[in-house]
Short mmCIF file of all heavy atoms in Angstrom, two decimals:
data_model
loop_
_atom_site.label_atom_id
_atom_site.label_comp_id
_atom_site.label_asym_id
_atom_site.label_seq_id
_atom_site.Cartn_x
_atom_site.Cartn_y
_atom_site.Cartn_z
N VAL A 1 145.27 217.76 -18.57
CA VAL A 1 145.81 218.77 -17.67
C VAL A 1 146.06 220.03 -18.46
O VAL A 1 146.68 219.93 -19.54
CB VAL A 1 147.10 218.29 -16.99
CG1 VAL A 1 147.66 219.32 -16.03
CG2 VAL A 1 146.85 216.95 -16.24
N THR A 2 145.60 221.13 -17.97
CA THR A 2 145.69 222.39 -18.74
C THR A 2 146.28 223.52 -17.91
O THR A 2 146.47 223.44 -16.70
CB THR A 2 144.32 222.82 -19.25
OG1 THR A 2 143.44 223.07 -18.14
CG2 THR A 2 143.74 221.77 -20.16
N ASP A 3 146.60 224.62 -18.57
CA ASP A 3 147.16 225.81 -17.95
C ASP A 3 146.53 227.02 -18.67
O ASP A 3 145.97 226.90 -19.71
CB ASP A 3 148.68 225.84 -18.15
CG ASP A 3 149.34 226.82 -17.14
OD1 ASP A 3 149.01 227.99 -17.18
OD2 ASP A 3 150.21 226.33 -16.38
N PHE A 4 146.65 228.21 -17.98
CA PHE A 4 146.08 229.37 -18.57
C PHE A 4 146.90 229.97 -19.71
O PHE A 4 146.39 230.66 -20.58
CB PHE A 4 145.94 230.47 -17.46
CG PHE A 4 144.79 230.21 -16.54
CD1 PHE A 4 145.01 229.60 -15.31
CD2 PHE A 4 143.45 230.51 -16.89
CE1 PHE A 4 143.94 229.34 -14.45
CE2 PHE A 4 142.40 230.28 -16.07
CZ PHE A 4 142.66 229.67 -14.83
N THR A 5 148.18 229.73 -19.72
CA THR A 5 149.04 230.34 -20.78
C THR A 5 149.89 229.26 -21.46
O THR A 5 150.28 228.23 -20.87
CB THR A 5 150.05 231.37 -20.16
OG1 THR A 5 150.99 230.66 -19.31
CG2 THR A 5 149.31 232.45 -19.35
N LEU A 6 150.22 229.56 -22.71
CA LEU A 6 151.08 228.62 -23.46
C LEU A 6 152.45 228.52 -22.83
O LEU A 6 153.01 227.44 -22.72
CB LEU A 6 151.17 229.11 -24.92
CG LEU A 6 151.99 228.24 -25.87
CD1 LEU A 6 151.40 226.80 -25.87
CD2 LEU A 6 151.97 228.79 -27.24
N MET A 7 153.00 229.62 -22.38
CA MET A 7 154.31 229.63 -21.76
C MET A 7 154.31 228.75 -20.52
O MET A 7 155.21 227.97 -20.29
CB MET A 7 154.74 231.02 -21.38
CG MET A 7 156.18 231.10 -20.82
SD MET A 7 156.68 232.74 -20.33
CE MET A 7 156.63 233.64 -21.86
N GLY A 8 153.26 228.87 -19.66
CA GLY A 8 153.16 228.05 -18.50
C GLY A 8 152.99 226.63 -18.80
O GLY A 8 153.66 225.73 -18.16
N ALA A 9 152.20 226.28 -19.81
CA ALA A 9 152.00 224.89 -20.19
C ALA A 9 153.27 224.25 -20.71
O ALA A 9 153.61 223.15 -20.38
CB ALA A 9 150.89 224.79 -21.26
N GLU A 10 154.04 225.03 -21.53
CA GLU A 10 155.28 224.51 -22.04
C GLU A 10 156.30 224.30 -20.96
O GLU A 10 157.04 223.29 -20.92
CB GLU A 10 155.79 225.46 -23.11
CG GLU A 10 154.98 225.44 -24.40
CD GLU A 10 155.41 226.50 -25.42
OE1 GLU A 10 156.15 227.42 -25.03
OE2 GLU A 10 154.97 226.38 -26.54
N ALA A 11 156.36 225.26 -20.00
CA ALA A 11 157.33 225.14 -18.88
C ALA A 11 156.98 223.89 -18.05
O ALA A 11 157.88 223.12 -17.64
CB ALA A 11 157.33 226.35 -18.04
N ARG A 12 155.73 223.70 -17.76
CA ARG A 12 155.31 222.52 -16.96
C ARG A 12 155.59 221.22 -17.69
O ARG A 12 156.02 220.22 -17.09
CB ARG A 12 153.85 222.66 -16.58
CG ARG A 12 153.68 223.67 -15.43
CD ARG A 12 152.25 224.11 -15.31
NE ARG A 12 152.03 225.11 -14.30
CZ ARG A 12 152.45 226.37 -14.35
NH1 ARG A 12 153.07 226.83 -15.36
NH2 ARG A 12 152.18 227.22 -13.38
N ALA A 13 155.39 221.20 -18.98
CA ALA A 13 155.68 220.02 -19.79
C ALA A 13 157.16 219.68 -19.77
O ALA A 13 157.57 218.52 -19.60
CB ALA A 13 155.19 220.19 -21.22
N ARG A 14 158.00 220.71 -19.82
CA ARG A 14 159.44 220.53 -19.74
C ARG A 14 159.88 219.98 -18.35
O ARG A 14 160.74 219.15 -18.23
CB ARG A 14 160.20 221.80 -20.07
CG ARG A 14 160.22 222.07 -21.59
CD ARG A 14 161.22 223.20 -21.96
NE ARG A 14 160.96 224.43 -21.29
CZ ARG A 14 160.13 225.37 -21.69
NH1 ARG A 14 159.37 225.14 -22.82
NH2 ARG A 14 159.96 226.52 -21.04
N MET A 15 159.24 220.53 -17.30
CA MET A 15 159.57 220.07 -15.98
C MET A 15 159.19 218.59 -15.77
O MET A 15 159.95 217.80 -15.19
CB MET A 15 158.85 220.91 -14.90
CG MET A 15 159.45 222.32 -14.74
SD MET A 15 158.69 223.23 -13.38
CE MET A 15 157.26 223.89 -14.17
N ILE A 16 158.03 218.20 -16.27
CA ILE A 16 157.61 216.80 -16.17
C ILE A 16 158.58 215.89 -16.95
O ILE A 16 159.00 214.84 -16.46
CB ILE A 16 156.17 216.62 -16.69
CG1 ILE A 16 155.16 217.29 -15.75
CG2 ILE A 16 155.82 215.15 -16.87
CD1 ILE A 16 153.82 217.42 -16.32
N ALA A 17 158.99 216.33 -18.14
CA ALA A 17 159.87 215.53 -18.95
C ALA A 17 161.24 215.37 -18.30
O ALA A 17 161.88 214.32 -18.41
CB ALA A 17 160.03 216.20 -20.34
N ALA A 18 161.70 216.39 -17.58
CA ALA A 18 163.01 216.33 -16.92
C ALA A 18 163.03 215.61 -15.58
O ALA A 18 164.08 215.14 -15.16
CB ALA A 18 163.53 217.78 -16.72
N ALA A 19 161.87 215.46 -14.97
CA ALA A 19 161.80 214.84 -13.64
C ALA A 19 161.88 213.33 -13.70
O ALA A 19 161.38 212.70 -14.64
CB ALA A 19 160.53 215.25 -12.94
N GLN A 20 162.50 212.74 -12.71
CA GLN A 20 162.45 211.27 -12.59
C GLN A 20 161.07 210.82 -12.23
O GLN A 20 160.62 209.77 -12.67
CB GLN A 20 163.42 210.79 -11.57
CG GLN A 20 164.88 210.89 -11.98
CD GLN A 20 165.83 210.32 -10.95
OE1 GLN A 20 165.48 210.18 -9.78
NE2 GLN A 20 167.01 210.08 -11.36
N ARG A 21 160.43 211.59 -11.38
CA ARG A 21 159.05 211.28 -10.95
C ARG A 21 158.35 212.65 -10.71
O ARG A 21 158.50 213.26 -9.68
CB ARG A 21 159.06 210.46 -9.71
CG ARG A 21 157.71 209.93 -9.36
CD ARG A 21 157.80 208.82 -8.30
NE ARG A 21 156.48 208.23 -8.17
CZ ARG A 21 156.10 207.63 -7.11
NH1 ARG A 21 156.89 207.56 -6.05
NH2 ARG A 21 154.89 207.16 -7.04
N GLY A 22 157.59 213.07 -11.69
CA GLY A 22 156.90 214.39 -11.64
C GLY A 22 155.55 214.28 -10.95
O GLY A 22 154.89 213.27 -11.00
N TRP A 23 155.14 215.36 -10.32
CA TRP A 23 153.84 215.47 -9.65
C TRP A 23 153.14 216.77 -10.03
O TRP A 23 153.83 217.77 -10.18
CB TRP A 23 154.03 215.44 -8.14
CG TRP A 23 154.49 214.14 -7.60
CD1 TRP A 23 155.79 213.71 -7.57
CD2 TRP A 23 153.71 213.10 -7.09
NE1 TRP A 23 155.85 212.44 -7.02
CE2 TRP A 23 154.55 212.06 -6.74
CE3 TRP A 23 152.34 212.93 -6.92
CZ2 TRP A 23 154.10 210.85 -6.20
CZ3 TRP A 23 151.88 211.74 -6.39
CH2 TRP A 23 152.76 210.72 -6.03
N PHE A 24 151.83 216.76 -10.09
CA PHE A 24 151.08 217.98 -10.24
C PHE A 24 150.65 218.38 -8.84
O PHE A 24 150.06 217.56 -8.13
CB PHE A 24 149.85 217.80 -11.17
CG PHE A 24 150.21 217.69 -12.60
CD1 PHE A 24 150.16 216.45 -13.21
CD2 PHE A 24 150.51 218.81 -13.33
CE1 PHE A 24 150.49 216.30 -14.57
CE2 PHE A 24 150.83 218.67 -14.67
CZ PHE A 24 150.82 217.45 -15.31
N VAL A 25 150.97 219.59 -8.44
CA VAL A 25 150.55 220.14 -7.14
C VAL A 25 149.40 221.14 -7.42
O VAL A 25 149.68 222.18 -8.04
CB VAL A 25 151.70 220.80 -6.37
CG1 VAL A 25 151.24 221.33 -5.03
CG2 VAL A 25 152.83 219.80 -6.18
N ILE A 26 148.18 220.72 -7.05
CA ILE A 26 147.02 221.59 -7.34
C ILE A 26 146.09 221.66 -6.16
O ILE A 26 146.06 220.68 -5.35
CB ILE A 26 146.26 221.05 -8.58
CG1 ILE A 26 145.76 219.61 -8.35
CG2 ILE A 26 147.11 221.08 -9.80
CD1 ILE A 26 144.86 219.11 -9.42
N ASP A 27 145.37 222.75 -6.07
CA ASP A 27 144.35 222.76 -5.02
C ASP A 27 143.06 222.26 -5.62
O ASP A 27 142.89 222.26 -6.84
CB ASP A 27 144.16 224.15 -4.40
CG ASP A 27 143.67 225.20 -5.39
OD1 ASP A 27 142.41 225.24 -5.54
OD2 ASP A 27 144.46 225.90 -6.00
N SER A 28 142.14 221.84 -4.77
CA SER A 28 140.92 221.17 -5.21
C SER A 28 140.01 222.07 -6.12
O SER A 28 139.16 221.57 -6.82
CB SER A 28 140.11 220.64 -4.05
OG SER A 28 139.78 221.68 -3.16
N SER A 29 140.19 223.39 -6.06
CA SER A 29 139.37 224.27 -6.88
C SER A 29 139.66 224.04 -8.40
O SER A 29 138.91 224.44 -9.25
CB SER A 29 139.58 225.73 -6.54
OG SER A 29 140.87 226.15 -6.91
N LYS A 30 140.75 223.38 -8.72
CA LYS A 30 141.15 223.18 -10.12
C LYS A 30 140.52 221.91 -10.66
O LYS A 30 140.56 221.67 -11.89
CB LYS A 30 142.67 223.06 -10.22
CG LYS A 30 143.47 224.22 -9.68
CD LYS A 30 143.12 225.50 -10.36
CE LYS A 30 144.00 226.66 -9.96
NZ LYS A 30 143.86 227.19 -8.60
N PHE A 31 139.94 221.02 -9.84
CA PHE A 31 139.34 219.80 -10.35
C PHE A 31 138.24 220.14 -11.34
O PHE A 31 137.33 220.91 -11.02
CB PHE A 31 138.75 218.95 -9.21
CG PHE A 31 139.78 218.42 -8.24
CD1 PHE A 31 139.40 218.08 -6.97
CD2 PHE A 31 141.12 218.25 -8.60
CE1 PHE A 31 140.32 217.56 -6.04
CE2 PHE A 31 142.01 217.73 -7.71
CZ PHE A 31 141.63 217.40 -6.41
N GLY A 32 138.30 219.56 -12.52
CA GLY A 32 137.23 219.77 -13.50
C GLY A 32 137.39 221.08 -14.29
O GLY A 32 136.63 221.35 -15.21
N LEU A 33 138.37 221.89 -13.93
CA LEU A 33 138.55 223.20 -14.66
C LEU A 33 139.42 223.02 -15.87
O LEU A 33 140.52 222.42 -15.84
CB LEU A 33 139.20 224.18 -13.71
CG LEU A 33 139.54 225.59 -14.22
CD1 LEU A 33 138.25 226.33 -14.54
CD2 LEU A 33 140.35 226.38 -13.22
N LEU A 34 138.92 223.44 -17.01
CA LEU A 34 139.67 223.40 -18.24
C LEU A 34 140.07 224.77 -18.64
O LEU A 34 139.23 225.68 -18.72
CB LEU A 34 138.89 222.73 -19.36
CG LEU A 34 138.59 221.23 -19.21
CD1 LEU A 34 137.67 220.78 -20.34
CD2 LEU A 34 139.86 220.47 -19.17
N THR A 35 141.36 224.99 -18.91
CA THR A 35 141.90 226.28 -19.30
C THR A 35 142.44 226.11 -20.72
O THR A 35 142.51 224.98 -21.22
CB THR A 35 142.96 226.74 -18.33
OG1 THR A 35 143.92 225.76 -18.11
CG2 THR A 35 142.33 227.13 -16.96
N PRO A 36 142.79 227.19 -21.41
CA PRO A 36 143.06 227.08 -22.84
C PRO A 36 144.24 226.25 -23.32
O PRO A 36 144.19 225.78 -24.47
CB PRO A 36 143.29 228.56 -23.26
CG PRO A 36 142.82 229.38 -22.13
CD PRO A 36 142.82 228.54 -20.90
N CYS A 37 145.26 226.07 -22.51
CA CYS A 37 146.49 225.43 -23.03
C CYS A 37 146.72 224.08 -22.34
O CYS A 37 146.86 223.99 -21.15
CB CYS A 37 147.67 226.35 -22.79
SG CYS A 37 147.45 227.96 -23.54
N ARG A 38 146.79 223.06 -23.14
CA ARG A 38 147.06 221.68 -22.70
C ARG A 38 148.52 221.50 -22.33
O ARG A 38 149.39 221.91 -23.08
CB ARG A 38 146.65 220.73 -23.79
CG ARG A 38 146.67 219.31 -23.36
CD ARG A 38 146.14 218.39 -24.47
NE ARG A 38 145.80 217.13 -23.93
CZ ARG A 38 144.60 216.79 -23.47
NH1 ARG A 38 143.61 217.59 -23.61
NH2 ARG A 38 144.40 215.56 -23.00
N ILE A 39 148.74 220.89 -21.20
CA ILE A 39 150.11 220.56 -20.74
C ILE A 39 150.49 219.20 -21.30
O ILE A 39 149.81 218.19 -21.07
CB ILE A 39 150.24 220.57 -19.19
CG1 ILE A 39 149.91 221.97 -18.67
CG2 ILE A 39 151.63 220.09 -18.76
CD1 ILE A 39 149.83 222.03 -17.15
N GLY A 40 151.54 219.12 -22.03
CA GLY A 40 152.00 217.84 -22.62
C GLY A 40 152.67 216.97 -21.57
O GLY A 40 153.24 217.48 -20.63
N GLY A 41 152.58 215.70 -21.75
CA GLY A 41 153.27 214.73 -20.93
C GLY A 41 152.62 214.35 -19.60
O GLY A 41 153.28 213.80 -18.74
N PRO A 42 151.29 214.53 -19.39
CA PRO A 42 150.72 214.16 -18.12
C PRO A 42 150.83 212.67 -17.81
O PRO A 42 150.83 212.28 -16.59
CB PRO A 42 149.27 214.61 -18.20
CG PRO A 42 148.96 214.68 -19.65
CD PRO A 42 150.28 215.04 -20.32
N ALA A 43 150.97 211.83 -18.85
CA ALA A 43 151.12 210.41 -18.61
C ALA A 43 152.40 210.08 -17.83
O ALA A 43 152.49 209.03 -17.22
CB ALA A 43 151.06 209.65 -19.93
N ARG A 44 153.36 210.97 -17.91
CA ARG A 44 154.64 210.73 -17.21
C ARG A 44 154.53 211.14 -15.72
O ARG A 44 155.44 210.79 -14.98
CB ARG A 44 155.74 211.52 -17.89
CG ARG A 44 156.14 211.04 -19.26
CD ARG A 44 157.27 211.84 -19.84
NE ARG A 44 158.30 212.09 -18.85
CZ ARG A 44 159.46 211.53 -18.89
NH1 ARG A 44 159.78 210.70 -19.82
NH2 ARG A 44 160.41 211.77 -17.96
N ALA A 45 153.51 211.85 -15.33
CA ALA A 45 153.38 212.32 -13.95
C ALA A 45 152.92 211.12 -13.06
O ALA A 45 152.13 210.28 -13.50
CB ALA A 45 152.42 213.42 -13.87
N ALA A 46 153.46 211.09 -11.84
CA ALA A 46 153.14 210.04 -10.91
C ALA A 46 151.73 210.20 -10.31
O ALA A 46 151.10 209.30 -9.88
CB ALA A 46 154.18 209.99 -9.76
N GLY A 47 151.29 211.49 -10.24
CA GLY A 47 149.98 211.73 -9.71
C GLY A 47 149.82 213.17 -9.29
O GLY A 47 150.54 214.07 -9.78
N ILE A 48 148.95 213.40 -8.31
CA ILE A 48 148.70 214.77 -7.86
C ILE A 48 148.86 214.85 -6.35
O ILE A 48 148.61 213.89 -5.61
CB ILE A 48 147.29 215.30 -8.28
CG1 ILE A 48 146.20 214.48 -7.59
CG2 ILE A 48 147.16 215.32 -9.77
CD1 ILE A 48 144.79 215.12 -7.80
N ILE A 49 149.25 216.03 -5.91
CA ILE A 49 149.24 216.38 -4.47
C ILE A 49 148.23 217.54 -4.39
O ILE A 49 148.33 218.53 -5.07
CB ILE A 49 150.68 216.85 -4.06
CG1 ILE A 49 151.68 215.71 -4.27
CG2 ILE A 49 150.68 217.26 -2.60
CD1 ILE A 49 153.12 216.13 -4.10
N THR A 50 147.30 217.36 -3.47
CA THR A 50 146.19 218.28 -3.41
C THR A 50 145.67 218.48 -2.00
O THR A 50 146.05 217.73 -1.10
CB THR A 50 145.05 217.92 -4.37
OG1 THR A 50 144.07 218.88 -4.41
CG2 THR A 50 144.45 216.55 -3.97
N ASP A 51 144.77 219.45 -1.80
CA ASP A 51 144.29 219.72 -0.42
C ASP A 51 143.06 218.90 -0.03
O ASP A 51 142.77 218.76 1.16
CB ASP A 51 144.00 221.20 -0.30
CG ASP A 51 142.91 221.70 -1.32
OD1 ASP A 51 142.87 221.15 -2.43
OD2 ASP A 51 142.12 222.55 -0.95
N ARG A 52 142.32 218.33 -1.01
CA ARG A 52 141.15 217.57 -0.69
C ARG A 52 141.04 216.42 -1.71
O ARG A 52 141.50 216.53 -2.82
CB ARG A 52 139.91 218.42 -0.79
CG ARG A 52 139.79 219.46 0.26
CD ARG A 52 138.37 220.04 0.34
NE ARG A 52 138.35 221.01 1.38
CZ ARG A 52 137.96 222.26 1.22
NH1 ARG A 52 137.48 222.65 0.06
NH2 ARG A 52 137.96 223.12 2.24
N ALA A 53 140.31 215.39 -1.30
CA ALA A 53 140.12 214.26 -2.21
C ALA A 53 139.26 214.70 -3.39
O ALA A 53 138.29 215.45 -3.23
CB ALA A 53 139.43 213.15 -1.48
N PRO A 54 139.63 214.22 -4.58
CA PRO A 54 138.81 214.53 -5.78
C PRO A 54 137.45 213.83 -5.67
O PRO A 54 137.31 212.81 -4.95
CB PRO A 54 139.62 214.02 -6.94
CG PRO A 54 140.64 213.12 -6.38
CD PRO A 54 140.78 213.42 -4.93
N GLU A 55 136.47 214.29 -6.41
CA GLU A 55 135.14 213.68 -6.45
C GLU A 55 135.34 212.25 -6.99
O GLU A 55 136.30 211.95 -7.66
CB GLU A 55 134.16 214.49 -7.26
CG GLU A 55 134.55 214.78 -8.66
CD GLU A 55 133.88 213.79 -9.62
OE1 GLU A 55 132.85 213.27 -9.33
OE2 GLU A 55 134.46 213.58 -10.69
N PRO A 56 134.41 211.33 -6.66
CA PRO A 56 134.56 209.94 -6.98
C PRO A 56 134.91 209.62 -8.43
O PRO A 56 135.73 208.72 -8.70
CB PRO A 56 133.25 209.33 -6.55
CG PRO A 56 132.74 210.21 -5.47
CD PRO A 56 133.15 211.57 -5.87
N ARG A 57 134.29 210.28 -9.38
CA ARG A 57 134.57 209.97 -10.81
C ARG A 57 136.00 210.28 -11.17
O ARG A 57 136.66 209.53 -11.84
CB ARG A 57 133.62 210.71 -11.75
CG ARG A 57 132.27 210.05 -11.86
CD ARG A 57 131.33 210.72 -12.84
NE ARG A 57 132.00 211.37 -13.97
CZ ARG A 57 131.43 212.20 -14.81
NH1 ARG A 57 130.18 212.47 -14.70
NH2 ARG A 57 132.09 212.71 -15.79
N LEU A 58 136.51 211.48 -10.68
CA LEU A 58 137.89 211.86 -10.96
C LEU A 58 138.84 210.91 -10.23
O LEU A 58 139.82 210.48 -10.78
CB LEU A 58 138.14 213.27 -10.57
CG LEU A 58 139.54 213.82 -10.77
CD1 LEU A 58 140.06 213.59 -12.19
CD2 LEU A 58 139.64 215.28 -10.38
N ALA A 59 138.55 210.58 -8.99
CA ALA A 59 139.42 209.65 -8.22
C ALA A 59 139.51 208.29 -8.93
O ALA A 59 140.57 207.71 -9.01
CB ALA A 59 138.85 209.51 -6.81
N ALA A 60 138.36 207.79 -9.44
CA ALA A 60 138.35 206.53 -10.18
C ALA A 60 139.16 206.60 -11.45
O ALA A 60 139.94 205.65 -11.78
CB ALA A 60 136.93 206.09 -10.48
N ALA A 61 139.06 207.72 -12.16
CA ALA A 61 139.83 207.90 -13.41
C ALA A 61 141.34 207.95 -13.10
O ALA A 61 142.16 207.36 -13.83
CB ALA A 61 139.42 209.16 -14.13
N LEU A 62 141.73 208.62 -12.04
CA LEU A 62 143.14 208.68 -11.64
C LEU A 62 143.63 207.29 -11.26
O LEU A 62 144.76 206.87 -11.67
CB LEU A 62 143.35 209.66 -10.51
CG LEU A 62 143.17 211.13 -10.86
CD1 LEU A 62 143.03 212.02 -9.64
CD2 LEU A 62 144.36 211.59 -11.72
N ALA A 63 142.85 206.53 -10.53
CA ALA A 63 143.23 205.21 -10.11
C ALA A 63 143.37 204.29 -11.30
O ALA A 63 144.35 203.51 -11.43
CB ALA A 63 142.21 204.65 -9.12
N ARG A 64 142.43 204.37 -12.27
CA ARG A 64 142.55 203.53 -13.49
C ARG A 64 143.80 203.85 -14.29
O ARG A 64 144.39 203.01 -14.90
CB ARG A 64 141.32 203.75 -14.40
CG ARG A 64 140.11 203.01 -13.95
CD ARG A 64 139.00 203.04 -15.03
NE ARG A 64 138.62 204.33 -15.53
CZ ARG A 64 137.76 205.14 -14.95
NH1 ARG A 64 137.12 204.75 -13.84
NH2 ARG A 64 137.47 206.34 -15.41
N ALA A 65 144.21 205.14 -14.23
CA ALA A 65 145.41 205.55 -14.95
C ALA A 65 146.69 205.24 -14.19
O ALA A 65 147.79 205.52 -14.67
CB ALA A 65 145.34 207.06 -15.26
N GLY A 66 146.51 204.72 -12.96
CA GLY A 66 147.69 204.37 -12.14
C GLY A 66 148.36 205.59 -11.50
O GLY A 66 149.55 205.56 -11.15
N ARG A 67 147.60 206.66 -11.30
CA ARG A 67 148.12 207.86 -10.72
C ARG A 67 147.74 207.94 -9.19
O ARG A 67 146.58 207.61 -8.82
CB ARG A 67 147.53 209.14 -11.34
CG ARG A 67 147.82 209.21 -12.83
CD ARG A 67 149.32 209.26 -13.17
NE ARG A 67 149.55 209.29 -14.55
CZ ARG A 67 149.80 208.19 -15.28
NH1 ARG A 67 149.85 207.00 -14.72
NH2 ARG A 67 150.00 208.23 -16.56
N GLU A 68 148.67 208.34 -8.37
CA GLU A 68 148.48 208.48 -6.95
C GLU A 68 147.84 209.82 -6.66
O GLU A 68 148.05 210.77 -7.38
CB GLU A 68 149.77 208.37 -6.21
CG GLU A 68 150.45 207.05 -6.25
CD GLU A 68 151.75 207.07 -5.47
OE1 GLU A 68 151.72 207.32 -4.28
OE2 GLU A 68 152.79 206.78 -6.09
N VAL A 69 147.10 209.87 -5.56
CA VAL A 69 146.57 211.12 -5.05
C VAL A 69 147.07 211.24 -3.61
O VAL A 69 146.82 210.38 -2.82
CB VAL A 69 145.05 211.17 -5.07
CG1 VAL A 69 144.52 212.43 -4.43
CG2 VAL A 69 144.49 211.02 -6.51
N ILE A 70 147.80 212.28 -3.33
CA ILE A 70 148.35 212.54 -2.01
C ILE A 70 147.66 213.77 -1.44
O ILE A 70 147.65 214.81 -2.07
CB ILE A 70 149.87 212.73 -2.01
CG1 ILE A 70 150.56 211.44 -2.49
CG2 ILE A 70 150.40 213.16 -0.65
CD1 ILE A 70 152.03 211.53 -2.60
N ILE A 71 147.11 213.60 -0.19
CA ILE A 71 146.50 214.72 0.52
C ILE A 71 147.30 214.86 1.82
O ILE A 71 147.19 214.04 2.69
CB ILE A 71 145.02 214.42 0.81
CG1 ILE A 71 144.27 214.11 -0.54
CG2 ILE A 71 144.36 215.62 1.48
CD1 ILE A 71 142.95 213.46 -0.36
N PRO A 72 148.15 215.88 1.90
CA PRO A 72 148.99 216.03 3.11
C PRO A 72 148.16 216.26 4.36
O PRO A 72 147.09 216.75 4.35
CB PRO A 72 149.86 217.22 2.79
CG PRO A 72 149.60 217.62 1.41
CD PRO A 72 148.41 216.91 0.92
#
């Protein structure tokens, strides 16, 4: 999981660390997009909340990692 800025990545890592159950809220245009700064602690996140189902390979990887995908 990545972010465009170091400040953003650090803030998101702190939020995940502080949460009892953290989630990434992303729109489907971010699937497969790598930006310069890695967000620490994604293993602590419960999963993602997004607008569309991820493509099958990503969905399978999330399932293997035990991460939920919620599409409201």
Side-chain angles (χ1 to χ4, degrees):
V1 180
T2 61
D3 198 301
F4 285 98
T5 67
L6 183 57
M7 184 182 298
E10 290 173 346
R12 284 164 183 70
R14 284 193 301 276
M15 288 187 274
I16 291 168
Q20 287 182 343
R21 190 165 188 207
W23 291 84
F24 287 103
V25 180
I26 60 173
D27 67 84
S28 58
S29 72
K30 305 300 188 291
F31 296 156
L33 179 65
L34 292 176
T35 51
C37 302
R38 186 175 197 95
I39 297 173
R44 292 181 45 107
I48 64 171
I49 300 170
T50 187
D51 60 325
R52 293 195 180 127
E55 58 97 25
R57 279 184 32 192
L58 178 55
L62 290 165
R64 281 192 307 275
R67 302 299 176 265
E68 294 181 59
V69 176
I70 296 177
I71 304 163

